[in-house]
Amino acid sequence: MSRSQNVHTPEEVERIRFAAGVTAQVRDQIAAAARPGMTTFDLDQVAGEFIRATGGKSAFKGYGDYPGNICISLNDEVVHGIGRPDRIIQESDIVSIDVGVAINGALGDTALTFGFGTQPEDVARLLRGTKQSLTEGIAAARRGNRIGNVSRAVERCAKRFHLGVVRDYVGHGCGIQLHEPPEVPNFAAYGEGPVLVPGMVICIEPMLTLGSWEVKVNRHDGWTATTRDGSWSAHFEHMILITENEPEILTWQKTM
Ligand code: MF3
Ligand code: CO
Ligand code: CO
């Protein structure tokens, strides 16, 4: 039977904490290696090497028929971009990387979006607002609250920054499988959702836009989601452990 939530044992939490830490480190290595002039395929290959060096494996490659090591989504691409040898990263692009590493029977999942140099005012607002929405979502991830409190915190912040909230993709439970219950929407829609209890691990991942919430999936690769209106989009994702006290950010590292 399907469960609405997934509470991990202390032994599982230890393994998940380790996998999430490794994943965060790899995320930061990839972000530091990304340069204009590289193709997104180059960046995916470099990511594959960083992942291999940990002794773990990509948690995404082979998930469904996903072919990449990581997801790389530029500009109006929202999520699930696949590295391409014909896509050269430009100085003016914003690059979202989403990284998953499976190691020792657990896994991590984390994402961030960055640019090179100074951003135009609206793009800077997109990056700042999306990151801030994640921060405010995390602050609501406390025992006794419900998933709906997290969703509302993210959505409210997005509204304050005048950003569109993508509805077709949501955050999720995580840790042993990539996608576990519960769903963690970035908008209040499903009612209150399950109560948060210690031992739950959730990925909070706002996907926000400078325009409308509507997205479409590339019909040639079956994966890359772009905004319908062509507006630019950002994505930040952390894996959070619900504890007795403050939420623990399992994918915390220097980049974010
Ligand atoms: N990392 C994505 C998420 O945050 C899922 C990627 S789907 C995959 O949920 F196919 F690329 F693995
Ligand atoms: Co992810
Ligand atoms: Co995720």
Side-chain angles (χ1 to χ4, degrees):
M1 279 287 92
S2 74
R3 290 186 295 165
S4 65
Q5 60 174 38
N6 205 0
V7 181
H8 293 285
T9 65
E11 182 274 326
E12 287 175 333
V13 167
E14 273 316 301
R15 284 190 284 141
I16 294 167
R17 185 182 280 118
F18 176 76
V22 168
T23 307
Q25 214 163 353
V26 170
R27 176 201 64 214
D28 291 349
Q29 286 175 319
I30 299 165
R35 302 223 183 321
M38 290 172 88
T39 69
T40 56
F41 182 78
D42 294 333
L43 190 58
D44 186 81
Q45 291 303 105
V46 166
E49 278 157 36
F50 289 141
I51 292 169
R52 247 188 312 284
T54 68
K57 285 180 21 178
S58 166
F60 301 169
K61 201 186 188 85
Y63 183 83
D65 61 353
Y66 191 75
N69 291 303
I70 63 169
C71 302
I72 306 169
S73 310
L74 309 185
N75 307 339
D76 65 325
E77 295 167 356
V78 180
V79 286
H80 301 168
I82 302 165
R84 281 167 38 177
D86 61 345
R87 188 73 194 267
I88 300 169
I89 299 172
Q90 309 294 315
E91 176 98 32
S92 55
D93 287 345
I94 56 171
V95 180
S96 155
I97 56 170
D98 192 342
V99 182
V101 179
I103 186 163
N104 295 346
L107 53 83
D109 179 17
T110 178
L112 90 153
T113 307
F114 55 89
F116 308 93
T118 336
Q119 309 302 325
E121 200 280 319
D122 58 341
V123 177
R125 171 168 56 86
L126 172 67
L127 295 177
R128 234 185 312 114
T130 309
K131 191 169 175 181
Q132 182 63 24
S133 294
L134 173 56
T135 301
E136 296 188 15
I138 293 169
R142 305 181 66 94
R143 75 171 306 177
N145 272 357
R146 290 175 179 270
I147 289 292
N149 294 90
V150 175
S151 301
R152 266 197 304 278
V154 171
E155 184 176 39
R156 268 200 207 119
C157 180
K159 289 227 166 86
R160 250 184 17 248
F161 280 85
H162 305 288
L163 297 171
V165 178
V166 170
R167 307 176 76 85
D168 296 23
Y169 300 93
V170 295
H172 51 94
C174 191
I176 304 297
Q177 316 267 7
L178 180 56
H179 293 147
E180 299 177 359
E183 292 197 341
V184 185
N186 296 307
F187 51 93
Y190 305 165
E192 293 300 309
V195 176
L196 301 176
V197 302
M200 282 176 73
V201 176
I202 56 173
C203 286
I204 305 176
E205 47 180 314
M207 290 151 267
L208 306 184
T209 81
L210 281 170
S212 118
W213 60 272
E214 290 176 287
V215 301
K216 57 173 194 260
V217 175
N218 181 299
R219 86 176 99 67
H220 303 290
D221 70 23
W223 281 98
T224 312
T226 57
T227 59
R228 279 187 183 272
D229 62 6
S231 64
W232 283 20
S233 173
H235 178 208
F236 286 82
E237 173 176 27
H238 269 312
M239 228 171 129
I240 308 301
L241 173 67
I242 309 304
T243 76
E244 299 290 343
N245 303 300
E246 301 298 310
E248 180 179 337
I249 304 174
L250 299 175
T251 44
W252 183 262
Q253 288 276 334
K254 64 180 189 310
T255 316
M256 36 185 310

